[in-house]
Amino acid sequence: MTVQSSIIPDLNNMRFQYQSELSIYTEKLAEGRLLFAGFQDNGTSIYEHTDLKDKPSFDLTIDGQSMNYGWEFSDFVTRRDELGNTTGTLTLKHERSPVQLKVITICSGFGFFKRTMEITNLSDEATIGLTNMVPFKGCIWNITDNIADNLRDDTVAPYSVGRFKDLYWGNEGNFAWQDIPVNTGIFFQSTFGMSGHSSPFFVLRNNINGGYFVCQMGWSANWKSAVFADYFNDSRLPNKINLNFEIQPMTPSPARLIAPGETIVAPDMHIGMSHVDLDTAIQNLHAYLRQSVLRQVGDGLQPVIYNQAGYMVPGYKQPEMSEEGLKHEVDIAAELGAELFMIDAGWYGKNGEAGTDWGNTTGDWFAADILPNDLFPVYEHARSKGLKCGLWVEIETAGSKSNLAEAHPDWFLTKYGSTFPRVLDLSKPEVKQFVESEIIRLVEKYQLDMFRLDYNSSSNEGGFNLKEGRNENTHWRHMEAIYEIFERVGKRFPNLQLENCASGGGRTDLGIVSRFTTTWVSDWFKMPRTVRILNGMSMALPPEYINRSYSPGMDGNLDTQMHVIMMGHPMLCGVTPSLASANPAIMACAKKYIGIYKDFIRTFHRAAKVYHHTPVIPGADGSGWAALEYVSEDRKKAVATVFRLVNADEDRYTMKFKGLDKGANYRVRIEPEGSEFVVGGYVLSREGLTIELDTALTSQMILLTETD
């Protein structure tokens, strides 16, 4: 489709209006400041006299000096690409410091914009230091009408923020709304050196006048978001209540030293506003990400992955891996109907030593002694069965027992006078070059179809390197290195699938996700929390990019475990210890749902509209009921799954479909019972289907196809 976007620059008044369908963002350069002048969600431009005049659109501090003012106009250019995306580049120069700023705003349709900033050191001699950077901030809503009456004596919060409220491993995707009290700020952040296990993603909601604002930052290290509802209550002046927001990377200063003539790029911002319901706001986000942000390989159909780690490698103890065992795993994958065979941790390094675990030998990316013929026979066997081949690598680390750690002790992150274990310092050019060359070598050596990147270390505030008398933090350069490496790898191998994983969901931000084709959003697969993870993460990311796994030892109904993973990007592991000892019922169940995914769900998954019937799932692990609905663009196909979690008050849930064509008829198939019948779209939408489940951790999957 062609994007509806435009940019209206008023160079006489230094005022710039960016339009993405019905969303209009206005910015103004006034008195040396670039101001956030207003955001509309109904397609109607504001007049200049109604512009906000005191809200800067960014913060920048160089060498401890505020750069929020003192900017002079240099240039403004626009361009339009083949999709209709319109880009405006505003170039500013600072009047007192040798700094140039390029503010790049892309109008990308669906009410969304991408915002990037380039900071250039114009000095011929002096290095400057980035102290702090807030790439985007402003006032989203400014209400002045009938405030006291609409607030109903302070019983109604004017605004709310929706976000992932948990920060820790295994608790990703716990979406919840939080009211924003007036004149009280709220902030939330990450602190482990990664963007997760939360994510720099939030949704703002106007509880008085309606509307949603969605924001994501592409940054894979520590970050912070803040919101503040400013209530000005004075009988002498008109009352007003503003909602201010900001989001930024959090890095000790100096975050980045910028050499003479050098340009660095701030984290990408992805923002959208719409006066619609929450489902439509999230669908607009997904459509924007699919079209303009996320990487796609070939036809974009996600392969069903079989991961070798399961019964074969309990606890990932490396000596238990063998060529014969891997070939048996290949046979299981092929029998199930999987399409890609992934070799997980434990294939490399000094693992002939009993008890040596996978984490202590990372860095030596050569097949271990327990695989004397290397991985070639395994991959050859997999390809003979029609399977593609993938490989797990934790390329940013080196374990304590690795040859790499012994040979290059200076390659590690250092802080407070000591070495931080396992984490390689990619801010060092020689380390960055080694990492990239190793990725290329492994992809070419094994002719990989998928490269899985993992990262299982928390560097917290990062390390420090002494440069020109200053201790530069490592996070910024490390992120630059990872992004640049995988951009080049993606271009060099255009058909290579790239899977992003970081101790589960440690990096689910768009900075790294945009450079990969699928993302491991959590290491937690047990019911009921795995449902909540899928439910929440499918708000921030389209579901086909969300890797969900079946693993041994899971709680709940077997069909329910399959329902969860088939609603994401499915991966299976440990389905059976061997084909000879396979449980026929488990094999039949897995085969059935793999067939449903490949033959039905995947045919429209990549463009599906997602409806979250239960956007907030309460409880420690998820309680009550959960329901997700995916509908094809033409509304001819749909899949929905209704889950009974724990502590449900009733045995019945009525599923009223949101995305169907009310004038059409649909053939309905319900799994696992297998019943089929025809119902009108109007009845399915208004009266719904009553799902009755009298025990916890069970579910029903509903497949719908339009019929005459």
Side-chain angles (χ1 to χ4, degrees), residues 527-528 618-625 643-649 695-697:
M527 289 285 291
D621 285 315
S623 62
W625 292 81
F643 301 92
R644 178 170 178 164
L645 307 179
V646 298
N647 297 326
D649 294 330
T695 189
L697 307 188

Side-chain angles (χ1 to χ4, degrees), residues 112 135-136 161-167 172-173 175 188-191 193-203 213-226 245-250 267-271 285 289 479 483 500 505-513 537 539-541:
F112 273 83
F136 200 58
V161 58
R163 61 187 180 92
F164 300 141
K165 67 178 186 179
D166 288 333
L167 302 176
E172 299 85 356
F175 184 83
F188 37 98
Q189 65 185 82
S190 68
T191 59
M194 301 180 287
S195 60
H197 295 268
S198 180
S199 180
F201 157 80
F202 62 82
V203 182
F213 175 79
V214 181
C215 179
Q216 293 201 61
M217 181 171 65
W219 178 250
S220 308
N222 293 336
W223 56 271
K224 178 180 177 180
S225 294
F245 81 98
E246 60 182 54
I247 184 167
Q248 66 181 107
M250 288 296 290
D268 291 336
M269 299 298 307
H270 306 271
I271 52 175
L285 169 65
L289 294 178
M479 290 302 101
Y483 296 163
N500 163 48
R507 291 173 175 169
T508 55
D509 65 281
L510 291 178
I512 198 160
V513 171
M537 293 307 302
M539 299 183 79
L541 299 172

